[in-house]
Amino acid sequence: MSSLQKIALFIDGSNLYATSKALGFDIDYKRLLGEFQSRGVLLRAFYYTTVIEDQEYSSIRPLIDWLDYNGYTVVTKFAKEFVDATTGRRKVKGSMDVDLAVSAMELAEHVDQIVLFSGDGNFRSLVEALQRRGVRVTVVSTLSTQPPMVADDLRRQADIFIDLAELKPKVGRDPVERPGSREMRQLPQFLARGTIHRDDRVE
């Protein structure tokens, strides 16, 4: 790949989070940025996510703030939380698909390649539209889970498909190696390496 290739990253935050969790690792977003900076001229790295409206504290807020200060363009939208009448389960309504697609189309004339971190089949028509404008599209998701996290028609439409499992050595982070975490400093010594996850609470 030419080092002069202009690249933009478009990250479907909730989809990437679910994919990395299904594969059993956390994304190190600093390493992810470095990996794609080494592949060409990285013009932009967009991160799209929803934040639940009326929620005083969101667990994703520290990540959003960090990304915002460390080379990412973070795009957020309020999502509404509601109770499904048929199942009684709490669900979240909100999607960033349109926002991501509009930004990608606007940027298309300025880049050679767009890397889409999502397995959502809704993006197939976006990929096709970008390709018609001469942009090569790489899709990052995984086939290594059951069922696969990537829609088959999206994978087939992409110019290049990268399985996130293959990127793990380059962009993964061991959950027990999170520096400065209060929880990590207080961990009992007998816990086995790798048994602590980001969402765990240590009393």
Side-chain angles (χ1 to χ4, degrees):
M1 184 181 294
S2 166
S3 61
L4 297 177
Q5 262 219 329
K6 289 180 279 191
I7 305 170
L9 309 184
F10 283 83
I11 300 171
D12 176 349
S14 61
N15 196 287
L16 178 59
Y17 176 81
T19 303
S20 67
K21 282 297 177 191
L23 290 170
F25 73 97
D26 286 339
I27 299 289
D28 182 326
Y29 286 95
K30 188 173 186 178
R31 292 180 72 195
L32 186 148
L33 212 58
E35 171 63 23
F36 285 90
Q37 283 169 336
S38 73
R39 298 184 180 210
V41 179
L42 186 59
L43 295 186
R44 285 279 186 282
F46 292 95
Y47 184 94
Y48 293 83
T49 190
T50 52
V51 179
I52 296 173
E53 205 171 15
D54 304 326
Q55 197 173 70
E56 204 167 292
Y57 176 78
S58 170
S59 58
I60 200 172
R61 178 58 60 188
L63 173 62
I64 291 171
D65 290 342
W66 187 91
L67 292 171
D68 215 13
Y69 284 105
N70 288 275
Y72 288 83
T73 301
V74 179
V75 184
T76 59
K77 180 193 280 186
F78 282 121
K80 298 199 183 298
E81 201 171 25
F82 68 98
V83 176
D84 189 304
T86 54
T87 64
R89 288 185 166 175
R90 280 172 44 211
K91 290 191 173 181
V92 176
K93 184 178 183 180
S95 171
M96 300 295 293
D97 292 5
V98 173
D99 306 70
L100 189 155
V102 169
S103 296
M105 291 302 289
E106 286 176 344
L107 203 62
E109 64 185 274
H110 304 288
V111 296
D112 302 303
Q113 183 183 13
I114 280 177
V115 183
L116 174 64
F117 289 80
S118 183
D120 190 338
N122 290 338
F123 288 125
R124 191 203 65 79
S125 56
L126 168 64
V127 172
E128 191 178 24
L130 289 167
Q131 290 167 333
R132 284 199 301 267
R133 291 180 170 225
V135 177
R136 286 173 60 78
V137 182
T138 296
V139 167
V140 180
S141 186
T142 190
L143 290 165
S144 304
T145 54
Q146 286 300 326
M149 298 290 285
V150 64
D152 190 58
D153 54 350
L154 177 66
R155 181 176 63 87
R156 289 170 183 270
Q157 188 67 48
D159 293 295
I160 301 168
F161 173 74
I162 299 176
D163 198 303
L164 187 62
E166 294 170 18
L167 281 179
K168 181 180 176 179
K170 295 179 177 179
V171 304
R173 178 178 65 196
D174 188 328
V176 300
E177 291 176 357
R178 295 172 61 218
S181 164
R182 180 181 63 82
E183 288 86 354
M184 300 322 291
R185 289 199 298 273
Q186 294 178 356
L187 283 180
Q189 295 305 306
F190 57 81
L191 284 173
R193 179 178 175 84
T195 59
I196 302 301
H197 302 287
R198 174 187 296 219
D199 301 324
D200 288 353
R201 288 281 179 270
V202 179
E203 301 301 328

